[in-house]
Amino acid sequence: MGNEKTRVGIIGASGYGGIQLVRLLLEHPQVELTYLAGHSSAGKPYSDLYPHLTHRVNLTIEPIDLEAIADRCDAVFLGLPNGLACDMAPALLAKGCKVLDLSADYRFRNLNTYTEWYKKDRQDQTTNNQAVYGLPELYRDAIKDAQLIGCPGCYPTASLLALSPLLKQGFIVPETAIIDAKSGTSGGGREAKVNMLLAEAEGSLGAYGVAKHRHTPEIEQIASDLAGTELQVQFTPHLIPMVRGILATVYATLRDPGLVRDDLITIYSAFYRASPFVKILPHGVYPQTKWAWGTNLCYIGIEVDPRTGRVIVLSAIDNLVKGQAGQAVQCLNLMMGWEESLGLPQLAFYP
């Protein structure tokens, strides 16, 4: 290969996930952005959608032509609404492209679960069987060998990074886990929606998808994997009037009420010692979303309440970076055999 850069395309480049990918890939030393594809915006210069990139990106959004994309790209990110990637990925894979899907289409081992929650029948079980869940902190080795990645949702990323050490090592009574999470409005995408209007969202905080949010089965699948037993998790998301960030507060009952906070900080630090993007905070320090803004980091704070016998884990990420595009680039780095943190920001623009 020599010094040739890897040619990368984005299908569905017009949304917030797409623009994060464009920003990260433009600054990535091993990548050349060769194809931006879209449906409704095809034919427009990309800088018409995002004028702040006029001086950096002179690509036009092209129609979604899988033949052309496969010819011009070594790896393709799919930033499409749920239910579209599964119609495109098989053709791209057959032509030798690596595929990283940011939608929910390849996050589920059992396609019946997908159909139940996303209301689309699937015929691509063979393709789905080769998909790897793109959470590097848990599945790093499998990602390295994968051709198809189902990139996790933003809430599952924050929640699972908080819960994984506890589940994997049996420190909690699994069915007692409760996840209370808040997300900024960019998680709702760029399309106009009444509840996302400034006049509706500003100064207001509310829950949504209570007891039925689509990220629940995704969290449960990986949590069950870690715990070695089928389990259900209580998950409630909230919309908070800011642009970026997720804070997940996770509660669970400890099996051993004698465990203290410092024990758990040691356990978490060991669990994530090979994970450059997970930062375990010292005792008494709890994460804030602003710390993770614009970065691929996940900050984790841990507390034990000896009165109730519960552990409380707080996890903060940028929903568009570690919760979406940054994590996808982290997966690409692993698939290509590059340094895992290559091209990924590790310092917030603060304050």
Side-chain angles (χ1 to χ4, degrees):
M1 286 279 295
N3 290 328
E4 281 176 37
K5 293 194 171 185
T6 296
R7 303 167 306 157
V8 174
I10 304 168
I11 303 183
S14 62
Y16 289 146
I19 181 68
Q20 308 308 305
L21 279 170
V22 167
R23 171 189 157 225
L24 293 171
L25 296 170
L26 283 175
E27 298 188 341
H28 195 294
Q30 295 288 352
V31 159
E32 184 190 356
L33 201 50
T34 54
Y35 203 112
L36 296 178
H39 183 59
S40 51
S41 45
K44 290 182 183 167
Y46 193 66
S47 56
D48 276 12
L49 300 183
Y50 292 104
H52 70 288
L53 291 178
T54 304
H55 66 296
R56 281 297 306 270
V57 182
N58 60 3
L59 292 169
T60 296
I61 298 181
E62 302 179 60
I64 300 173
D65 175 341
L66 298 180
E67 290 273 334
I69 292 165
D71 282 344
R72 282 163 48 192
C73 301
D74 306 305
V76 181
F77 293 91
L78 304 181
L80 298 161
N82 299 315
L84 297 178
C86 56
D87 296 332
M88 299 180 190
L92 291 167
L93 289 163
K95 294 183 173 300
C97 279
K98 294 183 190 301
V99 176
L100 299 103
D101 174 30
L102 276 67
S103 81
D105 289 15
Y106 289 105
R107 294 175 191 163
F108 295 94
R109 274 190 293 266
N110 183 344
L111 286 181
N112 295 334
T113 308
Y114 174 87
T115 297
E116 181 187 335
W117 288 80
Y118 290 89
K119 308 300 177 223
K120 177 179 167 107
D121 286 321
R122 297 277 293 275
Q123 314 301 321
D124 57 333
Q125 182 68 60
T126 318
T127 304
N128 194 64
N129 289 347
Q130 51 171 308
V132 172
Y133 191 71
L135 193 57
E137 288 73 18
L138 295 182
Y139 301 111
R140 191 173 278 113
D141 291 342
I143 292 167
K144 287 177 181 174
D145 299 330
Q147 297 300 310
L148 172 62
I149 301 290
C151 297
C154 50
Y155 282 122
T157 296
S159 306
L160 290 165
L161 290 174
L163 268 171
S164 290
L166 300 173
L167 288 167
K168 181 83 176 153
Q169 301 180 17
F171 289 119
I172 56 170
V173 182
E175 55 278 11
T176 63
I178 292 174
I179 301 160
D180 180 297
K182 325 268 187 304
S183 171
T185 59
S186 61
R190 204 187 192 198
E191 277 182 32
K193 300 180 184 78
V194 171
N195 67 315
M196 299 290 179
L197 291 170
L198 182 66
E200 304 275 337
E202 202 282 324
S204 183
L205 172 61
Y208 62 99
V210 180
K212 54 178 187 292
H213 192 278
R214 286 170 160 183
H215 282 166
T216 307
E218 186 184 332
I219 296 169
E220 287 177 349
Q221 168 182 268
I222 307 301
S224 301
D225 212 23
L226 290 161
T229 174
E230 281 299 309
L231 61 99
Q232 293 182 311
V233 171
Q234 201 75 59
F235 165 62
T236 308
H238 304 72
L239 184 71
I240 200 155
M242 60 187 191
V243 175
R244 282 176 185 260
I246 283 181
L247 181 72
T249 305
V250 180
Y251 305 90
T253 301
L254 287 165
R255 281 195 205 274
D256 172 6
L259 272 177
V260 296
R261 174 181 61 194
D262 288 355
D263 297 334
L264 287 169
I265 288 176
T266 304
I267 287 158
Y268 271 71
S269 300
F271 190 90
Y272 289 120
R273 66 182 175 275
S275 298
F277 292 111
V278 180
K279 304 300 176 193
I280 309 302
L281 297 166
H283 63 76
V285 181
Y286 310 125
Q288 298 181 24
T289 53
K290 192 182 269 274
W291 302 353
W293 256 55
T295 78
N296 200 52
L297 298 180
C298 174
Y299 287 95
I300 290 179
I302 304 160
E303 193 52 84
V304 170
D305 186 344
R307 222 172 42 84
T308 58
R310 288 197 187 97
V311 59
I312 304 158
V313 185
L314 303 109
S315 162
I317 62 169
D318 183 322
N319 57 298
L320 295 176
V321 188
K322 182 58 176 161
Q324 192 178 23
Q327 181 143 268
V329 172
Q330 191 182 347
C331 288
L332 178 70
N333 286 340
L334 288 166
M335 294 165 89
M336 300 303 297
W338 301 327
E339 177 64 43
E340 188 175 328
S341 54
L342 197 64
L344 288 166
Q346 297 209 45
L347 266 186
F349 190 75
Y350 195 92

